[in-house]
């Protein structure tokens, strides 16, 4: 059965491997042994019952306390092609009857219900008519009075479960002390119980605590390089929430507030807007977050000190469920601490003692100069060994060192000069980092001497540097066009008469070697951001059409892989993370179309998967010479493509390099391969005379799109071979 589970993982969900514990849990459930699963948020609890549900003959019931989350889960399952339904008070009568019918007929494999609905006679009666194989209790800690979220309704699940003696029971939770764990098993009367506890270390969260000084500016700085990313900012009070919301809004951020002072309708609207990527940021009190299953929250900021480690951990846990690197920033001030102390002193007796202890633990976390994971994990009863996590400020520990940034500033400033002060920070950064973005190529900026001289900084760091230069009056922004303009001071920097010093956020160092790279993969660091943005638009359109959250279509990880591997066919698309059979059928075409068009326009080829690449790499260094010589000796282009197992554009690229190194190339074969008539060949030549042979897009436009890119690529080679470049 576990082999079947693995193929469901790949074919239905599109994932290559199980996460830690998933396989063991699934095995246990399939053997019909009651199972308790304790995993942090984002650990992958859902698959632990969704995969068995597909393998059991009968129905799997999933009890979950949050009605809002159920719809989301069922949407997701439907998108994977898994027949799941929900029965609760939020759906129309018609849909309710239809779903009941699906359960009765065995058409639905999974039923999501709230505990109070499960207790109704109507549902209890319905469930006597079907075979139930698995009884799942999500957020199982709600059953225990010792948990932080006890719900009396949950208590009665123990009785209900007796209705299905054949069913295996599985309980899942993200927070559970040993006391709560025992409680859950006892109350549910687990037989042959097995408990699986995953580590609570969330490796992909970058933990950062800084002294609070001018919090609004600190937050604006942080947000500056994170345009378009989803994030939550927690404040202590409603008033603070409203104020910060206003400040961010005034600065042009896409943001909404959330606190108990707003009407229920407003809160729901804002929460949905956040989930659906209609807005980027929520500024909120602790009231926000329950029932948020959004996997791509990229940061959580604490404007104020949290109440205790438990709630801090829960709040930062909402970031990075998808496993991608996410940032947790906490602004810490002594006066916040006094505020909390004040509240604690109003309490009495044991309650006061407990609160004091909690504060102590939290302060310990905030003020440690060791790895932050040590006190954090200790709090959850785990020992964190390893003294360099590479994912907290203390382990990176260069945060406050002023650096001499003169050389970097000179690169940046001279690049602005070379592009006539007509562009903004992103474009300058693209040039410095040697990007193949359309805008760079179209402007011929890949030919500037500053092209590709700035690989030592990540994109974010260059943008940060630009902000620093603006703040220190080396640059001003053209109010109308947003382009960056040099000041007199900047010219002094260029003449080596003035130095630039400052602090960049070193935690964002991309590319090889840095500690942070440990959890961010090659894909995460080097995907094509322009294509990624286009794919996000496709996703958003589909989501609106189908009335679901964008991540239900595909998570960010999937889009990133697409923008890294550039799959061109449905076969290679299946290899992408998160693309299972059903999603491939439903959305494959829409995404492939955009990827192909983008690749065509930017002359990009599909990237081979890593494993294959490694074995091939050795021989590739002088390949263009070999190909060039073979070609001159009479081999045809098609022959060479086949022989080397690559596509035509690759062969052409090699030949172009060969030419550019000063070698000659025979011209006859190229024209033949292009298949163009003499008249067309003349037209293309004329067009290239006019707009130059280097960039194909202008040639393409010049010819009114009458000749395709692949032919143009050949003609380009022919033209250069004939005329020299
Ligand atoms: P939890 O319920 O524990 O918070 P989820 O079940 O929502 O976590 O899973 C978190 C994310 O991880 C989801 O986006 C899910 O698709 C993804 N995921 C789960 N298992 C795997 C796996 N084996 N491989 C890759 N991604 C996974
Ligand atoms: Zn650390």
């Amino acid at each position: 059965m576990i082999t079947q589970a693995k193929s469901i993982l790949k074919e239905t969900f599109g994932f290559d491997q199980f996460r830690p514990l998933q396989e063991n849990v699934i095995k246990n459930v399939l053997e019909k042994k009651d199972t308790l699963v304790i995993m942090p948020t984002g650990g992958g609890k859902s698959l632990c019952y969704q995969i068995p549900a597909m393998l059991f003959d009968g129905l799997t019931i999933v009890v979950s306390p949050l009605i809002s989350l159920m719809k989301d889960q069922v949407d997701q399952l439907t998108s994977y092609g898994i027949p799941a339904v929900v029965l609760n008070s939020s759906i129309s009568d018609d849909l309710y009857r239809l779903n009941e019918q699906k359960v009765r007929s065995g058409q639905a494999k999974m039923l999501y219900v709230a505990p109070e609905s499960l207790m109704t006679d109507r549902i209890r009666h319905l469930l006597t008519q079907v075979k139930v194989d698995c009884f799942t209790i999500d957020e199982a800690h709600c059953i225990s009075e010792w948990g932080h979220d006890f719900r009396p309704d949950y208590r009665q699940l123990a009785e209900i479960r007796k209705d299905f003696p054949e069913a295996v029971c599985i309980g899942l939770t993200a927070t559970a002390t040993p006391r709560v764990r025992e409680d859950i098993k006892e109350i549910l009367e687990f037989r042959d119980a097995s408990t699986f506890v995953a580590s609570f270390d969330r490796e992909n969260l970058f933990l950062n605590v800084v002294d609070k000084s001018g919090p609004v500016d600190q937050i604006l700085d942080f947000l500056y390089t994170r345009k378009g990313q989803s994030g939550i900012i927690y404040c202590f009070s409603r008033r603070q929430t409203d104020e910060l919301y206003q400040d961010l809004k005034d600065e042009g951020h896409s943001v909404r507030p959330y606190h108990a002072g707003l009407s229920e309708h407003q809160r729901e609207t804002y929460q949905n807007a956040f989930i659906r990527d209609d807005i980027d940021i929520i500024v909120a009190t602790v009231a926000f977050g329950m029932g948020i299953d959004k996997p791509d929250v990229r940061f959580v900021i604490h404007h104020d000190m949290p109440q205790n480690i438990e709630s801090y951990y829960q709040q930062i846990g909402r970031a990075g469920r998808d496993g991608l690197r996410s940032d947790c920033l906490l602004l810490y001030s002594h006066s916040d601490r006094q505020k909390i102390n004040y509240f604690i002193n109003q309490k009495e007796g044991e309650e006061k003692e407990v609160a004091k202890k909690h504060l102590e633990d939290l302060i310990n976390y905030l003020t440690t100069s060791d790895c932050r994971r040590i006190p954090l994990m200790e709090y959850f009863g785990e020992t964190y060994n390893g003294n360099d996590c590479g994912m907290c400020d203390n382990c990176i520990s260069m945060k406050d060192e002023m650096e001499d940034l003169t050389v970097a500033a000179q690169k940046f400033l001279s690049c602005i000069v070379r592009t006539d002060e007509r562009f903004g920070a992103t474009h300058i950064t693209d040039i410095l980092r040697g990007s193949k973005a359309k805008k760079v190529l179209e402007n011929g900026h890949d030919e500037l001497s500053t092209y590709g001289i700035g690989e030592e900084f990540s994109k974010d760091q260059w943008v940060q540097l630009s902000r620093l230069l603006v703040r220190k009056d080396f640059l001003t922004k053209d109010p109308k066009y947003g382009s960056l303009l040099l000041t007199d001071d900047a010219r002094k920097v260029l003449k080596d008469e003035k130095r630039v010093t400052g602090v960049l956020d070193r935690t964002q160092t991309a590319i090889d070697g840095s500690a942070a790279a440990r959890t961010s993969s090659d894909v995460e660091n080097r995907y094509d951001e322009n294509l990624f943005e286009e794919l996000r638009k496709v996703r958003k359109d589909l989501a609106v059409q189908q009335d679901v959250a964008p991540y239900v279509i595909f998570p960010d990880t999937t889009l990133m892989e697409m923008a890294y591997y550039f799959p061109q066919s449905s076969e290679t698309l299946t290899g992408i993370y998160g693309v299972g059979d059903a999603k491939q059928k439903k959305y494959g075409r829409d995404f492939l179309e955009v990827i192909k068009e983008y690749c065509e326009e930017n002359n990009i080829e599909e990237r081979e998967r890593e494993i294959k690449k490694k074995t091939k790499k050795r021989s590739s260094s002088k390949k263009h010479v070999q190909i060039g010589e073979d070609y001159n000796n009479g081999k045809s282009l098609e022959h060479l493509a086949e022989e080397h197992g690559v596509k035509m554009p690759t062969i052409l690229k090699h030949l172009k390099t060969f030419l550019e190194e000063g070698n000659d190339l025979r011209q006859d074969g190229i024209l033949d391969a292009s298949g163009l008539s003499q008249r067309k060949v003349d037209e293309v030549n004329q067009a290239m005379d006019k707009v130059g042979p280097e960039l194909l897009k202008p040639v393409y436009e010049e010819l009114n799109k009458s000749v395709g890119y692949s032919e143009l690529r050949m003609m380009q080679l022919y033209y250069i071979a004939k005329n020299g470049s």
Side-chain angles (χ1 to χ4, degrees):
M1 281 261 250
I2 199 71
T3 351
Q4 273 168 291
K6 275 189 193 144
S7 53
I8 293 181
L9 182 73
K10 177 71 200 155
E11 280 155 26
T12 305
F13 293 94
F15 303 145
D16 288 329
Q17 283 166 345
F18 281 115
R19 293 247 181 96
L21 296 190
Q22 283 178 333
E23 186 169 349
N24 295 344
V25 171
I26 291 173
K27 217 164 136 210
N28 211 53
V29 175
L30 289 175
E31 285 167 9
K32 290 240 167 161
K33 290 184 194 149
D34 292 342
T35 309
L36 179 61
V37 182
I38 295 151
M39 258 187 209
T41 313
K45 286 186 284 296
S46 322
L47 286 192
C48 294
Y49 54 86
Q50 288 166 348
I51 290 187
M54 293 183 65
L55 289 168
F56 286 134
D57 289 336
L59 181 72
T60 291
I61 300 173
V62 184
V63 185
S64 160
L66 295 158
I67 292 188
S68 61
L69 268 190
M70 282 184 219
K71 171 175 180 331
D72 215 64
Q73 294 238 1
V74 170
D75 280 348
Q76 296 216 38
L77 289 168
T78 313
S79 80
Y80 285 120
I82 300 171
V85 298
V86 58
L87 287 177
N88 64 35
S89 49
S90 76
I91 61 177
S92 70
D93 281 352
D94 284 348
L95 187 57
Y96 199 104
R97 269 191 293 274
L98 182 71
N99 286 350
E100 269 182 327
Q101 178 49 34
K102 283 185 180 167
V103 170
R104 209 175 288 122
S105 66
Q107 210 182 328
K109 302 262 355 156
M110 299 183 76
L111 167 65
Y112 280 76
V113 279
E116 66 271 16
S117 325
L118 197 55
M119 248 88 74
T120 60
D121 289 340
R122 183 164 174 181
I123 292 191
R124 282 185 92 159
H125 176 70
L126 169 72
L127 291 175
T128 57
Q129 304 167 41
V130 295
K131 176 171 181 242
V132 177
D133 269 327
C134 182
F135 189 65
T136 303
I137 301 173
D138 203 6
E139 312 288 350
H141 57 273
C142 297
I143 220 166
S144 165
E145 275 153 324
W146 293 92
H148 55 85
D149 200 16
F150 173 61
R151 289 167 186 246
D153 278 348
Y154 256 63
R155 260 303 153 82
Q156 308 192 32
L157 293 176
E159 275 313 299
I160 304 266
R161 124 148 246 221
K162 298 206 174 90
D163 292 352
F164 323 109
E166 297 296 307
V168 58
C169 187
I170 165 169
L172 308 106
T173 173
T175 42
T177 60
R179 174 86 211 219
V180 175
R181 264 179 234 170
E182 288 316 306
D183 239 18
I184 298 174
K185 285 192 281 189
E186 212 178 291
I187 295 169
L188 290 172
E189 296 176 28
F190 270 17
R191 303 154 292 194
D192 324 313
S194 318
T195 306
F196 296 85
V197 186
S199 165
F200 272 64
D201 184 20
R202 300 275 313 276
E203 290 177 10
N204 61 320
L205 299 186
F206 189 93
L207 307 172
N208 194 5
V209 179
V210 302
D211 287 333
K212 193 178 198 175
S213 58
V216 176
D217 263 337
Q218 284 176 302
I219 290 175
L220 286 173
D221 273 356
F222 179 91
L223 296 178
Y224 193 70
T225 55
R226 293 174 170 84
K227 287 262 150 63
Q229 296 187 358
S230 293
I232 307 170
I233 305 178
Y234 283 108
C235 295
F236 188 71
S237 63
R238 291 182 200 178
R239 189 176 52 85
Q240 185 61 64
T241 304
D242 285 331
E243 279 176 20
L244 184 62
Y245 156 68
Q246 199 59 46
D247 287 334
L248 297 185
K249 192 172 147 230
D250 292 345
E251 287 289 323
H253 285 284
S254 148
V255 56
R256 293 286 181 282
Y258 189 104
H259 54 68
L262 301 171
S263 73
E264 200 179 322
H265 175 71
Q266 269 171 322
R267 275 180 297 171
E268 205 182 299
T269 313
Y270 296 163
Q271 172 166 328
N272 278 333
F274 180 65
I275 289 173
R276 305 213 158 185
D277 288 346
D278 294 332
I279 55 160
D280 296 339
I281 304 165
I282 288 274
V283 182
T285 61
V286 294
F288 182 77
M290 255 305 239
I292 298 287
D293 219 354
K294 191 172 166 50
D296 54 359
V297 174
R298 287 277 76 84
F299 60 86
V300 170
I301 300 178
H302 283 84
H303 176 276
D304 304 298
M305 211 164 115
Q307 299 267 311
N308 50 49
I309 289 203
E310 183 110 27
S311 47
Y312 170 69
Y313 182 82
Q314 207 179 29
Q315 286 151 7
I316 61 172
R318 292 177 183 134
R321 275 166 180 260
D322 53 10
L324 294 176
R325 186 208 146 99
S326 306
D327 282 279
C328 309
L329 172 69
L330 189 154
L331 305 179
Y332 172 52
S333 81
H334 200 71
S335 61
D336 282 356
R337 177 178 174 171
Q338 282 164 336
K339 227 186 285 175
I340 293 198
N341 241 334
Y342 172 81
F343 284 113
I344 290 178
N345 282 326
Q346 317 243 299
K347 298 184 177 183
E348 276 172 11
E350 200 191 359
E351 204 190 353
K352 182 168 167 181
E353 291 314 305
V354 172
K356 265 193 168 154
K357 174 81 179 70
H358 279 163
L359 179 64
E360 224 172 80
D361 287 334
L362 179 62
I363 298 294
N364 186 17
Y365 169 79
L366 296 176
T367 53
T368 184
S369 51
D370 291 333
C371 175
R372 301 227 182 254
R373 287 184 155 72
I374 296 172
L376 194 60
M377 291 301 102
E378 202 160 89
Y379 183 86
F380 291 106
E382 269 179 65
T383 351
Y384 185 76
N385 32 26
N387 43 6
D388 179 12
C389 77
M391 282 294 279
C392 78
D393 50 352
N394 287 338
C395 286
I396 299 277
S397 88
M398 283 191 278
K399 55 176 175 168
D400 289 332
E401 270 169 51
M402 285 288 251
E403 282 178 89
D404 188 340
L405 298 167
T406 311
V407 175
Q410 285 170 337
K411 290 183 181 179
F412 198 84
L413 296 171
S414 68
C415 194
I416 295 179
V417 175
R418 271 168 228 278
T419 49
D420 304 322
E421 302 181 271
R422 287 193 299 120
F423 296 89
T426 323
H427 186 68
I428 299 295
T429 300
D430 276 349
I431 299 174
L432 288 169
R433 292 194 25 87
S435 152
K436 296 221 168 14
K438 225 159 79 183
K439 193 167 160 194
V440 173
L441 300 183
E442 271 174 12
N443 283 291
H445 288 163
D446 52 335
E447 298 187 355
L448 294 174
S449 58
T450 47
Y451 182 74
I453 60 166
E455 304 239 15
E456 72 272 28
F457 278 1
S458 70
K459 202 166 173 163
D460 277 353
Q461 285 175 318
W462 280 117
V463 176
Q464 277 183 53
L465 177 70
S466 80
R467 181 159 159 87
L468 187 140
L469 291 173
V470 171
R471 243 192 337 217
K472 298 199 170 210
D473 293 326
F474 291 106
L475 290 174
T476 54
K477 236 186 202 172
D478 184 308
K480 199 158 156 214
Y481 302 107
S483 48
L484 294 169
L485 310 172
L486 271 66
T487 63
D488 288 344
D489 273 352
R491 295 184 206 282
K492 286 190 189 144
V493 173
L494 283 174
K495 282 189 251 162
D496 258 339
E497 288 167 8
K498 209 173 166 77
R499 309 209 69 72
V500 179
T501 53
V503 189
L504 292 189
D505 180 0
R506 306 289 304 205
T507 63
Q508 294 188 29
T509 317
I511 329 266
D512 315 331
S514 82
R518 193 176 301 169
T519 52
S520 26
S521 61
D522 227 24
V523 175
E524 218 174 321
N525 284 324
R526 297 180 175 224
Y527 65 93
D528 186 315
E529 293 176 37
N530 299 314
L531 176 57
F532 181 74
E533 284 312 316
E534 290 196 20
L535 296 173
R536 275 182 63 149
K537 279 184 216 136
V538 178
R539 175 174 72 176
K540 179 72 188 162
D541 288 346
L542 287 169
V544 171
Q545 263 170 40
Q546 310 195 357
D547 191 28
V548 294
Y551 62 77
V552 169
I553 310 274
F554 281 129
D556 280 1
T557 333
T558 304
L559 305 192
M560 262 178 209
E561 284 212 352
M562 289 180 184
Y564 179 80
Y565 289 110
F566 307 105
Q568 310 271 319
S569 63
S570 20
E571 290 86 71
T572 40
L573 190 65
T574 345
I576 297 290
Y577 173 97
V579 184
D581 287 346
K583 289 200 181 185
Q584 156 97 294
K585 280 205 195 87
K586 253 187 262 178
Y587 314 124
R589 262 215 353 241
D590 293 287
F591 285 91
L592 275 179
E593 200 173 295
V594 172
I595 299 172
K596 276 196 198 145
E597 197 180 307
Y598 184 84
C599 288
E600 177 91 333
E601 233 176 55
N602 293 289
N603 197 10
I604 296 171
E605 258 196 72
E606 181 161 340
R607 189 194 295 262
E608 286 175 55
R609 281 281 177 175
E610 221 62 341
I611 332 140
K612 285 192 213 146
K613 210 166 80 188
K614 274 194 191 119
T615 52
K616 277 193 173 177
K617 217 173 185 173
R618 236 179 310 118
S619 60
S620 71
S621 56
K622 285 283 175 202
K623 206 173 218 168
H624 61 279
V625 180
Q626 194 194 333
I627 290 178
E629 285 170 355
D630 281 356
Y631 178 74
N632 279 343
N633 288 334
K635 283 191 182 166
S636 72
L637 294 174
E638 283 92 4
H639 184 127
L640 286 166
E642 197 166 315
E643 181 181 326
H644 290 272
V646 294
K647 290 194 189 141
M648 188 61 87
T650 310
I651 295 294
L652 296 176
K653 223 185 264 173
H654 283 307
L655 291 179
K656 192 155 169 259
T657 315
F658 185 70
L659 260 178
E660 281 161 357
E661 284 183 0
N663 300 298
D664 285 332
L665 207 62
R666 73 183 166 96
Q667 291 150 32
D668 49 342
I670 308 178
L671 279 190
D672 296 347
S674 78
L676 293 174
S677 67
Q678 189 56 47
R679 195 167 57 86
K680 275 282 167 216
V681 170
D682 291 342
E683 273 177 36
V684 175
N685 275 327
Q686 278 161 17
M688 286 189 178
D689 282 342
K690 191 164 164 205
V691 299
E694 276 306 323
L695 299 176
L696 292 182
K697 180 141 188 187
V699 180
Y700 183 66
E701 302 289 344
E702 180 68 25
L703 294 164
N704 288 326
K705 309 185 181 179
S706 64
V707 180
Y709 276 98
S710 48
E711 288 83 19
L712 283 183
R713 220 163 274 134
M714 290 188 198
M715 285 304 297
Q716 177 187 46
L717 199 62
Y718 172 78
Y719 188 92
I720 298 175
K722 198 172 71 169
N723 303 317
S725 51

